[in-house]
Amino acid sequence: MFSSIVAILGFLLVGYGVGSVRIIKEGNAALVERLGRYRRTLEPGLNIIVPLLDSIALEDSLREQTLDIPPQKAITKDNVNLDVDAIIYWRIYNLERTYYAIEDVEFAMQELVITTLRSEVGKTEFQELFSSRDDINRALLDVLDEATAPWGLKVNRVEIQKLEPPQNVLDAMQKERAASYEKNAKISEAQADVESMRLLAEALQATNSGKEILQYLLAQRYVAANQKIGESDNSKVLFMDPKALTESIVDLMNDGDIPHK
């Protein structure tokens, strides 16, 4: 009889001991409630609780986590519609606040990011949007960090991943870029022609055969121009006297009026 009682007591003690031990993983924390009320927070390692009275309400990670915000519709200051998304890097630093202050922390953060993101995009014109990405990231970070502090959260970084305007806006941007490239090419070509004329004038001034060289170069340009005209499907054949093209220039050379630099 006595041995049976000892065995029962031993079994209860073992059960009590097993039930009172809680091991929390590194990087995590756990909340203990006693009879339905918050009691304390368990740190990583071996912890002892009171069976039947204490229970683990929540165990969660304190490591940095990510929240990927799906693409959202936004409108710029100059009324351009686009899709924008972001990713948030955050962590819990006070598990008690996170659990008891708000029902669904990730949903709350997502709604806050969407609202703030649309607001920041709406303050910026489309042409400035891509160059202002870092400014928008900082603005988002400031708003989120302040708003989530009462929830026991720390937002470490915010990154806008994609700014995607509609196809018609992309097409317009492509045309504008092509026109800019063409304009720059024409400017470069004109500058090269001016430099060539300057060098030619210097060369003509330094030689006694300037008139012959000039006549040759003009005749060469004449032949090349007529060849290009002839290659065109809609071209018309033009016959011009190269001598007439150079007559006035040759007269100036004979008078010694080659322009100086």
Side-chain angles (χ1 to χ4, degrees):
M1 181 68 177
F2 178 76
S3 59
S4 299
I5 295 175
V6 171
I8 292 173
L9 290 176
F11 178 77
L12 292 175
L13 288 174
V14 170
Y16 182 88
V18 172
S20 65
V21 174
R22 290 291 184 273
I23 297 176
I24 306 302
K25 295 181 180 179
E26 186 67 36
N28 287 9
L31 301 179
V32 175
E33 290 182 346
R34 176 168 293 179
L35 300 177
R37 299 188 63 180
Y38 171 73
R39 177 70 176 176
R40 61 192 177 102
T41 300
L42 302 183
E43 303 294 335
L46 182 66
N47 295 269
I48 303 299
I49 64 173
V50 179
L52 302 178
L53 296 179
D54 294 343
S55 61
I56 302 297
L58 173 70
E59 180 177 347
D60 206 345
S61 173
L62 302 183
R63 291 167 291 185
E64 186 173 76
Q65 304 179 58
T66 60
L67 178 62
D68 195 356
I69 308 300
Q72 303 294 321
K73 297 292 183 182
I75 303 176
T76 64
K77 186 177 181 180
D78 49 349
N79 296 319
V80 176
N81 292 280
L82 50 81
D83 290 333
V84 57
D85 65 0
I87 186 168
I88 312 301
Y89 297 85
W90 62 285
R91 68 178 183 85
I92 298 172
Y93 71 86
N94 188 316
L95 187 59
E96 178 190 353
R97 288 189 195 175
T98 303
Y99 183 66
Y100 293 107
I102 192 162
E103 180 68 26
D104 188 335
V105 65
E106 289 197 3
F107 177 77
M109 275 202 304
Q110 177 172 298
E111 292 302 303
L112 184 59
V113 171
I114 291 172
T115 302
T116 309
L117 189 57
R118 287 173 175 167
S119 175
E120 292 300 322
V121 169
K123 298 176 184 177
T124 310
E125 293 190 357
F126 177 73
Q127 292 292 346
E128 302 173 355
L129 194 59
F130 294 90
S131 61
S132 302
R133 187 190 295 254
D134 290 340
D135 294 334
I136 296 176
N137 287 339
R138 283 193 292 270
L140 283 169
L141 179 60
D142 291 342
V143 171
L144 290 170
D145 201 28
E146 181 180 358
T148 58
W151 304 342
L153 304 180
K154 173 64 177 176
V155 178
N156 297 323
R157 194 164 72 258
V158 180
E159 296 288 345
I160 294 178
Q161 294 182 295
K162 180 176 65 176
L163 291 168
E164 187 173 302
Q167 189 60 44
N168 62 328
V169 175
L170 291 175
D171 293 341
M173 290 174 60
Q174 186 66 28
K175 290 180 181 179
E176 183 178 354
R177 192 178 298 114
S180 177
Y181 290 156
E182 183 178 357
K183 178 182 177 181
N184 291 336
K186 288 181 178 179
I187 291 175
S188 299
E189 183 179 357
Q191 291 173 341
D193 289 342
V194 170
E195 180 65 14
S196 298
M197 292 174 65
R198 185 185 68 80
L199 295 175
L200 177 60
E202 291 178 354
L204 291 174
Q205 189 177 4
T207 180
N208 294 327
S209 303
K211 180 173 71 174
E212 290 79 2
I213 295 174
L214 184 60
Q215 288 176 331
Y216 171 75
L217 292 174
L218 290 175
Q220 191 178 43
R221 286 289 185 92
Y222 168 78
V223 172
N226 277 280
Q227 183 177 359
K228 286 186 177 180
I229 293 173
E231 291 174 353
S232 174
D233 294 335
N234 299 320
S235 64
K236 295 181 180 180
V237 178
L238 302 176
F239 295 96
M240 299 177 64
D241 184 3
K243 183 178 179 181
L245 297 175
T246 61
E247 184 176 7
S248 60
I249 298 177
V250 172
D251 289 341
L252 287 174
M253 292 182 61
N254 290 333
D255 293 337
D257 291 334
I258 295 296
H260 293 273
K261 179 180 176 182

